[in-house]
Amino acid sequence: MRRKTSARLGLSAFLLAAACAGTGLAPTATATADSPDTPLASDGLLKAMQRDLGLSPAEARERLVDEKQAVKVERAAKKAAGDAYGGAWFDAGRGRLTVALTERSAAADVRETGADVRFVEHSAAELDAAKARVDKFVDKAKAPKGVASWRVDAKANRVVVDVVEGHRADNDVTSFLRRARATAPLRVDTVPEAPSTFAAGTVGGDPYYTGNVRCSIGFSVHGGFVTAGHCGKAGAGVRGWDGSNIGSFQGSSFPDNDYAWVSVGNGWWTVPVVLGWGTIPDRLVKGSAEAPVGTSICRSGSTTKWHCGNLLAKNETVNYSGGAVVRQLTKTSVCAEGGDSGGSFISGDQAQGVTSGGWGNCSSGGETWFQPVNEILQRYGLRLHTA
């Protein structure tokens, strides 16, 4: 980035590095211990988890240790389960991962990995195929405004459709549910609001702009950073918080997906850091191992800064206001607001994804979805910038 002085938030060139780092952050990060007996935590992170998840510092430390183990167990258990794999979820109260199985013959091998076992009717492959059939008929007709999203829920062993409160009896919603039931084992839940994306109009002093839209930087990659696709189209120029040119959108997809990557040049550079905004020390990014459902997760964004919550579901199809349907999103209980779009979702020191959209706010609460970062890296052939 440009080397110039600034009093913004008491930072100088560090904040400039933050804007292009792919993280909306500053590079003054605190390294975390890698010992298996030491949680990836700082006092600030523990305080954020205590605030957002209702945990004590000791409970937060214990949970981080359990979640780190659950990531390893999930990989091993999925391999051990084979075709009988029905999905997995983390139980925060018990600190253990549960794996759903369709065959009892796989139970012993899965238990040896350290996972608990629950027997179910449908495999993960069957549920994913059922959800794909729902996605397919939506491709041919616009999703109803009263349908917020649909996803595979391993714990329920169903495809779950979220309907906006007060819209269950709408003709187009009942028609959608009828078609969905014909193709998938279904459960219908109610949500208070429809989701929307979190882009915002120009506000001075925030990480990056394209046109009159402000969004947040996600993660550094070699050559640039990744962010949300709805923030800008391929070829659009990108400016930093100080108005100087960063680069341009090299690739962008929205709707269907919600991801993009931006080149970095003109004196800007990238660093493998996520900004803690003074709530926690800035976080070094060391990889992108995917966290299981049920684990804690935190988000950094230019509007509401640092917030934490739980990872609720994966591979969810979301119907944003205006009929923009986006697939393969991950759902969280983390709040967000306008301008947070594109920002970093991180678990410990592992990059998870970029903020897409949601409902609610950080005063009353809500839910937010992110586009998984590994999909973005694979799509564009990018390499995550890690510490």
Side-chain angles (χ1 to χ4, degrees):
M1 294 185 146
R2 279 180 208 287
R3 294 171 174 84
K4 56 180 75 174
T5 59
S6 171
R8 181 178 181 266
L9 299 181
L11 300 175
S12 56
F14 287 133
L15 191 55
L16 287 170
C20 70
T23 51
L25 41 84
T28 52
T30 300
T32 53
D34 289 326
S35 165
D37 297 322
T38 305
L40 296 170
S42 64
D43 288 342
L45 176 57
L46 296 175
K47 289 177 181 177
M49 292 180 71
Q50 185 176 8
R51 177 197 66 196
D52 294 336
L53 297 174
L55 303 174
S56 69
E59 289 170 335
R61 289 189 191 96
E62 183 178 7
R63 180 161 176 177
L64 287 171
V65 171
D66 291 339
E67 290 176 350
K68 186 177 181 181
Q69 179 64 17
V71 172
K72 298 176 182 178
V73 170
E74 184 181 31
R75 288 196 293 263
K78 185 175 182 179
K79 184 177 180 180
D83 292 341
Y85 181 72
W89 60 92
F90 178 75
D91 186 329
R94 297 171 56 248
R96 293 181 62 83
L97 188 79
T98 299
V99 173
L101 294 175
T102 59
E103 300 290 341
R104 293 185 178 275
S105 59
D109 289 342
V110 171
R111 289 191 177 103
E112 283 185 5
T113 69
D116 293 333
V117 168
R118 178 184 294 181
F119 297 106
V120 296
E121 180 182 359
H122 306 286
S123 70
E126 290 171 345
L127 292 173
D128 287 343
K131 178 186 172 291
R133 290 192 292 271
V134 178
D135 286 342
K136 189 173 182 178
F137 76 67
V138 172
D139 284 340
K140 300 176 181 178
K142 206 170 187 179
K145 292 182 179 179
V147 175
S149 64
W150 53 99
R151 65 190 179 276
V152 170
D153 187 319
K155 194 171 183 179
N157 201 228
R158 293 287 186 274
V159 173
V160 176
V161 177
D162 284 341
V163 174
V164 180
E165 188 174 7
H167 291 269
R168 180 69 179 269
D170 291 359
N171 290 336
D172 54 354
V173 172
T174 58
S175 177
F176 176 94
L177 295 177
R178 183 169 56 253
R179 293 191 67 182
R181 284 194 180 94
T183 192
L186 206 69
R187 190 184 80 188
V188 181
D189 289 346
T190 301
V191 294
E193 296 181 38
S196 60
T197 54
F198 285 127
T202 298
V203 177
D206 285 290
Y208 84 87
Y209 309 91
T210 178
N212 66 344
V213 172
R214 170 172 60 86
C215 282
S216 299
I217 294 169
F219 292 97
S220 287
V221 297
H222 290 273
F225 63 82
V226 294
T227 186
H230 69 264
C231 292
K233 296 182 178 180
V238 174
R239 308 185 308 280
W241 66 267
D242 63 345
S244 64
N245 182 45
I246 295 176
S248 61
F249 280 84
Q250 298 300 304
S252 179
S253 179
F254 180 83
D256 190 38
N257 305 293
D258 194 4
Y259 50 60
W261 84 279
V262 173
S263 62
V264 164
N266 305 297
W268 295 65
W269 65 87
T270 65
V271 290
V273 180
V274 170
L275 183 64
W277 295 102
T279 301
I280 68 164
D282 300 338
R283 306 292 289 168
L284 287 175
V285 178
K286 295 187 177 181
S288 57
E290 189 175 318
V293 169
T295 55
S296 62
I297 194 165
C298 298
R299 179 192 56 73
S300 182
S302 63
T303 299
T304 57
K305 316 309 181 188
W306 183 271
H307 286 274
C308 299
N310 294 311
L311 198 157
L312 300 178
K314 297 181 181 181
N315 190 22
E316 183 155 6
T317 301
V318 176
N319 182 29
Y320 286 128
S321 54
V325 174
V326 180
R327 296 169 173 79
Q328 295 181 314
L329 296 180
T330 298
K331 184 179 186 177
T332 77
S333 65
V334 187
C335 67
E337 296 179 13
D340 286 328
S341 279
S344 322
F345 266 92
I346 189 166
S347 177
D349 56 12
Q350 300 295 304
Q352 299 298 308
V354 300
T355 303
S356 175
W359 61 267
N361 55 56
C362 289
S363 297
S364 59
E367 293 177 334
T368 302
W369 285 263
F370 67 81
Q371 184 88 61
V373 69
N374 287 331
E375 181 184 356
I376 309 172
L377 300 177
Q378 183 178 16
R379 168 63 179 82
Y380 294 119
L382 302 170
R383 186 158 59 94
L384 189 68
H385 190 170
T386 57

